[in-house]
C-alpha cells in the first residue's frame, strides 16, 4: 500500500528561524511531489511542487527531493507567525488511470512571535 | 479567474438522509478529484472523474457513495442514507490534465446528526 509519512508535530519555531518539514514515501514509482499548506478550517493551498532530485526554491520556501532515499522536505526561511498552519506532503504516481494525490497526515507548524 | 467552487460550504443532515455535494472546476480544467478529510486525519482520495467518465473510483466506499461529472454542470458527490461516520470535510480539486497540479476548492463540511 502506498503511504506517505510525516511527523504530526507540533513543530514549534521562533519567528525568523528556519522551519524544516520532512516527509517520506513508500512507493518508488512516485514521480511528483507537492507541499500544501492548510490553515485550520480551510482548504489545502499549493505551496510548491517538485519533480526532480535536488532543491527547488521559491521565495522563502525550498523543496528538497531525494528519490533514492524516498524523502522530500520543505524549508521555510525567516518563518513568520502567519506561516503557522498544517503542512501536507502529497505524492502522485503516474500510471494507468491513477491521477490522485496520496497525502500524509500533515505536520502542524507553530511560529512563535 | 474563479477558482474551484464548491457548494454548499456547510451541510447538516440527519441519519438516513441524502447529501449532495457540488463542485465546479476551475475554468479550463476538465479533471475533477474528490477527497475526504476526517477530523484529525489526512486527506483521502475518493474518486477521479472527467466529463461523463469515472476514471478511478478506487477510494470510494462500496455502498451509498456515488459521483458524476455530467457534460453540462458541476460534478456531484452523492451520499445516500448518511451515517454519523460520514461527517467530514469533502474537498474537490481540479486540474487541466491528469499529470498537472491539482487546485482545491473551499470544501463542504458535512455534519450528520
Amino acid at each position: 500500500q502506498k503511504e506517505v509519512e510525516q511527523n504530526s508535530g507540533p513543530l514549534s519555531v521562533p519567528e525568523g528561524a528556519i522551519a524544516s518539514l520532512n516527509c517520506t514515501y513508500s512507493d518508488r514509482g512516485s514521480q511528483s511531489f507537492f507541499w500544501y499548506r492548510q490553515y485550520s478550517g480551510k482548504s489545502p493551498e499549493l505551496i510548491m511542487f517538485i519533480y526532480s532530485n535536488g532543491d527547488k526554491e521559491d521565495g522563502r520556501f525550498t523543496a528538497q527531493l531525494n528519490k533514492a532515499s524516498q524523502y522530500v522536505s520543505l524549508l521555510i526561511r525567516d518563518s513568520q507567525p502567519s506561516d503557522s498552519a498544517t503542512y501536507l506532503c502529497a505524492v502522485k504516481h503516474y500510471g494507468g488511470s491513477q491521477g490522485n494525490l496520496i497525502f500524509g497526515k500533515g505536520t502542524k507548524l507553530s511560529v512563535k512571535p | 479567474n474563479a477558482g474551484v467552487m464548491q457548494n454548499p460550504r456547510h451541510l447538516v443532515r440527519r441519519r438516513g438522509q441524502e447529501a449532495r455535494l457540488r463542485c465546479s472546476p476551475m475554468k479550463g480544467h476538465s479533471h475533477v478529484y474528490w477527497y475526504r478529510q476526517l477530523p484529525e486525519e489526512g486527506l483521502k482520495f475518493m474518486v477521479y472523474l472527467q466529463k461523463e467518465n469515472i476514471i478511478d473510483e478506487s477510494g470510494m466506499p462500496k455502498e451509498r457513495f456515488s459521483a458524476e461529472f455530467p457534460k453540462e454542470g458541476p460534478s456531484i458527490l452523492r451520499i445516500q442514507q448518511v451515517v454519523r461516520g460520514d461527517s467530514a470535510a469533502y474537498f474537490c480539486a481540479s486540474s487541466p490534465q491528469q499529470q498537472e497540479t491539482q487546485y482545491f476548492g473551499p470544501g463542504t463540511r458535512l455534519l450528520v446528526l
Side-chain angles (χ1 to χ4, degrees):
Chain A
Q1 185 167 349
K2 301 165 189 170
E3 293 183 344
V4 177
E5 299 287 340
Q6 296 181 256
N7 287 328
S8 61
L11 172 66
S12 184
V13 300
E15 183 174 357
I18 295 175
S20 177
L21 304 158
N22 304 314
C23 172
T24 58
Y25 58 96
S26 63
D27 183 10
R28 286 194 174 275
S30 300
Q31 296 177 305
S32 303
F33 307 87
F34 303 83
W35 284 99
Y36 286 84
R37 176 174 62 196
Q38 187 175 28
Y39 293 109
S40 181
K42 301 295 185 182
S43 63
E45 172 193 7
L46 179 70
I47 297 176
M48 291 190 71
F49 58 87
I50 186 167
Y51 301 141
S52 304
N53 277 328
D55 295 0
K56 180 181 179 182
E57 186 174 320
D58 184 1
R60 296 187 296 113
F61 299 97
T62 299
Q64 299 174 317
L65 175 61
N66 184 327
K67 289 187 178 181
S69 300
Q70 295 175 241
Y71 175 91
V72 58
S73 66
L74 180 70
L75 300 177
I76 306 175
R77 289 182 298 281
D78 189 23
S79 296
Q80 301 297 309
S82 59
D83 294 326
S84 298
T86 296
Y87 288 79
L88 306 173
C89 172
V91 305
K92 183 184 281 191
H93 173 97
Y94 295 121
S97 62
Q98 294 181 45
N100 56 290
L101 295 169
I102 301 171
F103 282 87
K105 289 188 177 182
T107 298
K108 191 169 185 177
L109 172 67
S110 177
V111 181
K112 303 294 186 184
Chain B
N1 283 331
V4 179
M5 293 190 291
Q6 290 187 250
N7 68 79
R9 297 288 298 274
H10 299 272
L11 183 61
V12 179
R13 285 288 179 264
R14 297 192 179 279
R15 281 180 297 170
Q17 291 184 319
E18 179 178 284
R20 281 197 181 204
L21 289 62
R22 296 175 193 80
C23 169
S24 295
M26 287 179 70
K27 188 175 181 180
H29 288 195
S30 59
H31 298 248
V32 166
Y33 313 81
W34 286 92
Y35 293 84
R36 177 167 64 176
Q37 188 172 37
L38 293 166
E40 305 303 320
E41 293 287 325
L43 284 101
K44 299 293 186 185
F45 167 75
M46 300 182 75
V47 62
Y48 162 34
L49 311 103
Q50 286 182 267
K51 286 285 187 181
E52 300 185 279
N53 283 306
I54 296 174
I55 307 301
D56 180 1
E57 56 182 347
S58 58
M60 287 278 269
K62 298 293 183 222
E63 298 177 347
R64 301 187 298 108
F65 286 72
S66 62
E68 62 177 359
F69 190 13
K71 186 176 181 180
E72 300 291 337
S75 175
I76 295 175
L77 179 68
R78 182 187 303 163
I79 311 172
Q80 296 177 299
Q81 299 176 323
V82 295
V83 300
R84 288 205 175 124
D86 296 333
S87 296
Y90 292 83
F91 292 100
C92 167
S94 73
S95 67
Q97 300 293 336
Q98 179 187 16
Q99 285 79 8
E100 304 216 18
T101 302
Q102 295 177 22
Y103 295 90
F104 282 80
T108 294
R109 272 90 181 152
L110 173 65
L111 176 62
V112 179
L113 301 177

